[in-house]
Amino acid sequence: MKKDIHPDYHMINVVMTDGTSYQTRSTYGKEGATLNLDIDSKTHPAWTGGAQHLLDRGGRLSRFKDKFAGFVS
């Protein structure tokens, strides 16, 4: 391997959306930096399987529902 081409791999603090934190190794920032997450596995529906909330902006959702009202799965 070539020398001096790889980024510095060091310990950082990761702060979850609920305020909990943990330490991990990363190339982010400098040694001891803090990474504050906006989305994490505790809150995002992709991981939690929570119910999604659909917003109807400009009637698009209601038009979609009207258009496909006859389809039943």
Side-chain angles (χ1 to χ4, degrees), residues 11-42:
M11 295 299 288
I12 66 165
N13 298 315
V14 178
V15 179
M16 307 289 268
T17 56
D18 66 353
T20 60
S21 64
Y22 64 93
Q23 286 190 334
T24 189
R25 293 176 51 88
S26 175
T27 58
Y28 173 80
K30 303 222 181 268
E31 178 78 28
T34 300
L35 175 62
N36 293 305
L37 299 179
D38 294 330
I39 298 174
D40 65 24
S41 60
K42 294 180 182 178

Side-chain angles (χ1 to χ4, degrees), residues 1 4 10 16 20 32 37 40 46-47 49-50 53 56 67 69 71:
M1 285 197 309
D4 300 324
H10 49 271
M16 307 289 268
T20 60
L37 299 179
D40 65 24
W47 289 286
H53 298 233
D56 190 5
K67 183 176 179 180
F71 291 100

